[in-house]
Amino acid sequence: MSQKQLKEAFISNLNGTTLLEISAGLSLAPLCMLCRGLLLILHYLHYGKPVSSRKYSLLLDFLVLVSPLLFSCTVLSPIIFFMPVILAAFCTGIFSKIYSQRKWGARAPFGQIVKEFQKTYLDPEYIPAITVFRVYVNVLTSISILAVDFPQYPRRYAKAETYGTGVMDLGVGAFIFGNALVCPEVRQKPSVTQPRFSSLARQVFSVWPLISLGVGRLLSVKSIEYHEHTSEYGVHWNFFFTLAFVRLAASLLLAVFPKHKAWLVALALAVLYQLLLSTTSLREFILHGSDGRDSRLGFLDANREGLCSLFGYLAIYLASVQVGLWLLRRRASVRGWLGALRGLALAVLVLLVLLQLCQACVEPVSRRLANLPFCTWVLAHCLLLLAFFVLADLALVFTELLVKGCSVPCCWKVVQPPDSCKKHGVEATPVGREDKLSQLCLISAINKNQLLFFLLANVMTGAVNILIDTIHSKAAFTLCILHLYMFFNCLIMYILHARNIVLKFW
């Protein structure tokens, strides 16, 4: 077999992993965020000022926010269920140290602190969990697209061939989910009346870079005979095209139907598509081609996976628009967000029950088909990850109230603390420090140039695969390459952010 055939076989005919393992892995990123925030608060407690060196800030962010994820999906994957326990214990230790070493003037009784915490007012215009979710999906995707070509990346984490729940299968759906959370239909203020098709016009203008990237990827892959998994999207199709067409189709539907009914449109679309899969020959066509022998004759036949799965991805996008609209409802206090957390937990529970019913009565999860179980699975786990990030943010807000004047980048700002907080010695974060601190934040840096980060990761993945025999690499060499690859990507974003450069011209 040629090197190209070996690499294609290496990522083919896989079956995914369990839902429990994926859920355990999802908790790692929020715990890393919590750990990094607690370390910054502890530093402020000891030195009376935040980390002022950009060099040390980048190093801390990379080692705490990115490096643990690299290890967890390679050499530490056999103990993935212990990783959340280890990180949670570490965070608990840091919090205990902060709580015991806070200044005497701020030592209110724990019960009183909890009461004041629930009354604390947060900035309603900025929800850090949405930003962090989108950034981390980008980071995890960038790690996986290169790591999957190394033997240390478990095969069960890679994309499943037909049926199954691989980590990378979830990543594709999470990318769609994250884009929908900040689409124009969600960000448009209810008080502002705009022409019905204004969002569609903006999307038409904004998706041309995605189409250009899709064409560029297609031409480059074919010209250098780069290895590719044909049954993933087809011969000519790729994820850039999927994302572009889903955004356009969603804007068109939301221009026709009320956006606050997006979940109904998503449900109708997912159910109708599943009925077509179950009652017609559509499933056999997608899996085996028009002649039943995996033919690739004609554009539709050659790209049947990418074209037909658009219906499932569109349903995920529309449901995610509804989630975005719900998240952006004004919740002024911590108590309001604790209620939102309960809502998220209930939604996750309902979706997981529906997922079990779908798998038992309809068919297993299939990213290749983008069927109803796949849509349900993606939404359940994306909401679970979002809930984890909200919980981590609230834990950091609680800890910030223990340390006078402390603030964590990319975390909620306390905008209007009740008078009782000051009476009991619990000080809130001063308004206006977020912009200064965000200059020292890797999350903010990646968020400013997310598409560039993803594009750079794709280009570097191709370069590494061309230059290195990834399949036969040893563990130490693999970890070295992955860390250099991710650090270089993060460093470029960090430099651009420090110079306030946003490479967006559409």
Side-chain angles (χ1 to χ4, degrees):
M1 295 177 69
S2 66
Q3 188 74 4
K4 179 176 182 289
Q5 291 172 324
L6 279 173
K7 290 192 174 185
E8 287 175 352
F10 193 56
I11 56 175
S12 301
N13 303 313
L14 305 172
N15 299 313
T17 184
T18 64
L19 297 180
L20 185 60
E21 185 171 15
I22 291 177
S23 299
L26 287 179
S27 66
L28 295 179
L31 284 170
C32 288
M33 280 291 299
L34 180 59
C35 178
R36 173 259 206 168
L38 291 173
L39 286 172
L40 290 175
I41 294 173
L42 184 62
H43 178 277
Y44 188 92
L45 181 63
H46 281 177
Y47 297 100
K49 61 179 181 179
V51 178
S52 56
S53 170
R54 288 180 176 175
K55 178 173 63 176
Y56 292 132
S57 176
L58 173 61
L59 189 60
L60 173 67
D61 281 359
F62 183 80
L63 290 178
V64 180
L65 299 180
V66 179
S67 191
L69 303 179
L70 277 169
F71 280 103
S72 66
C73 69
T74 51
V75 294
L76 295 183
S77 58
I79 60 167
I80 189 67
F81 289 103
F82 294 100
M83 291 289 290
V85 178
I86 295 170
L87 283 172
F90 188 63
C91 290
T92 303
I94 301 173
F95 176 80
S96 299
K97 194 167 186 179
I98 293 171
Y99 187 77
S100 63
Q101 294 185 3
R102 60 201 170 104
K103 294 180 181 179
W104 285 102
R107 292 201 169 186
F110 186 80
Q112 183 63 41
I113 296 173
V114 172
K115 289 180 181 179
E116 301 297 346
F117 167 67
Q118 293 180 9
K119 299 175 184 176
T120 300
Y121 291 94
L122 303 173
D123 183 1
E125 302 297 328
Y126 175 64
I127 304 172
I130 295 178
T131 300
V132 176
F133 176 93
R134 298 182 70 245
V135 168
Y136 254 116
V137 167
N138 217 328
V139 169
L140 290 167
T141 302
S142 300
I143 292 172
S144 295
I145 60 175
L146 178 58
V148 70
D149 295 312
F150 290 91
Q152 288 74 26
Y153 189 87
R155 297 299 90 194
R156 66 185 185 277
Y157 288 0
K159 289 178 180 175
E161 184 69 25
T162 302
Y163 294 104
T165 51
V167 174
M168 294 185 71
D169 294 316
L170 178 61
V172 176
F175 221 99
I176 297 288
F177 184 93
N179 269 267
L181 290 180
V182 295
C183 69
E185 291 81 6
V186 172
R187 287 184 280 114
Q188 180 182 331
K189 295 185 181 298
S191 58
V192 179
T193 56
Q194 292 186 345
R196 175 173 290 188
F197 291 93
S198 61
S199 293
L200 177 61
R202 288 199 298 273
Q203 288 285 33
V204 170
F205 183 65
S206 66
V207 299
W208 73 262
L210 292 172
I211 297 176
S212 301
L213 291 173
V215 172
R217 188 184 191 284
L218 172 64
L219 295 176
S220 59
V221 165
K222 299 300 181 184
S223 62
I224 64 175
E225 295 189 352
Y226 189 77
H227 68 277
E228 54 183 332
H229 195 186
T230 305
S231 64
E232 186 177 346
Y233 294 106
V235 177
H236 312 103
W237 203 262
N238 57 59
F239 184 66
F240 290 112
F241 292 141
T242 293
L243 188 57
F245 279 88
V246 163
R247 285 172 59 174
L248 284 176
S251 290
L252 179 60
L253 287 173
L254 292 173
V256 176
F257 299 98
K259 63 182 181 181
H260 62 275
K261 299 292 184 182
W263 70 276
L264 284 174
V265 183
L267 180 62
L269 188 64
V271 170
L272 286 174
Y273 176 57
Q274 183 61 54
L275 285 173
L276 287 175
L277 289 173
S278 301
T279 60
T280 68
S281 59
L282 180 60
R283 180 193 290 112
E284 293 302 312
F285 168 70
I286 296 173
L287 297 181
H288 305 295
S290 56
D291 61 356
R293 293 179 294 181
D294 199 26
S295 64
R296 296 284 175 179
L297 302 174
F299 181 80
L300 178 59
D301 207 359
N303 303 285
R304 55 185 184 268
E305 293 91 350
L307 293 171
C308 293
S309 64
L310 287 173
F311 296 101
Y313 289 125
L314 180 57
I316 293 172
Y317 190 98
L318 290 170
S320 307
V321 167
Q322 190 74 60
V323 174
L325 292 170
W326 179 78
L327 285 172
L328 288 181
R329 292 179 184 174
R330 292 185 72 87
R331 296 176 180 88
S333 67
V334 166
R335 184 178 283 112
W337 278 103
L338 290 174
L341 261 182
R342 289 192 291 271
L344 286 172
L346 179 61
V348 170
L349 182 61
V350 170
L351 287 169
L352 288 177
V353 171
L354 287 176
L355 174 60
Q356 296 304 319
L357 291 174
C358 286
Q359 294 206 100
C361 303
V362 183
E363 63 180 338
V365 172
S366 173
R367 172 203 46 81
R368 188 173 176 184
L369 299 173
N371 55 5
L372 179 60
F374 174 75
C375 298
T376 308
W377 171 56
V378 166
L379 289 172
H381 279 74
C382 285
L383 288 176
L384 179 63
L385 180 57
L386 202 56
F388 282 156
F389 280 127
V390 172
L391 186 60
D393 281 329
L394 290 175
L396 287 175
V397 170
F398 181 82
T399 311
E400 286 177 5
L401 295 176
L402 302 174
V403 182
K404 180 180 178 180
C406 182
S407 183
V408 176
C410 289
C411 182
W412 258 309
K413 288 191 294 182
V414 177
V415 294
Q416 190 181 349
D419 295 336
S420 56
C421 284
K422 297 179 181 179
K423 187 184 300 181
H424 292 284
V426 182
E427 291 289 338
T429 304
V431 178
R433 298 191 57 180
E434 180 69 23
D435 293 338
K436 182 180 179 181
L437 287 168
S438 65
Q439 294 294 326
L440 305 173
C441 179
L442 181 59
I443 297 295
S444 296
I446 296 175
N447 182 54
K448 269 196 171 181
N449 287 286
Q450 287 208 49
L451 184 57
L452 178 65
F453 182 81
F454 185 58
L455 176 60
L456 184 60
N458 275 269
V459 172
M460 290 193 64
T461 295
V464 171
N465 271 281
I466 292 171
L467 298 173
I468 295 174
D469 179 13
T470 56
I471 296 179
H472 302 101
S473 298
K474 301 296 183 183
F477 181 74
T478 297
L479 289 173
C480 182
I481 292 296
L482 289 176
H483 275 84
L484 286 174
Y485 153 79
M486 284 304 298
F487 186 77
F488 179 77
N489 286 353
C490 292
L491 179 62
I492 296 297
M493 298 303 108
Y494 203 79
I495 292 173
L496 291 176
H497 181 52
R499 299 183 179 182
N500 200 28
I501 298 174
V502 179
L503 294 181
K504 183 176 180 179
F505 43 88
W506 58 91

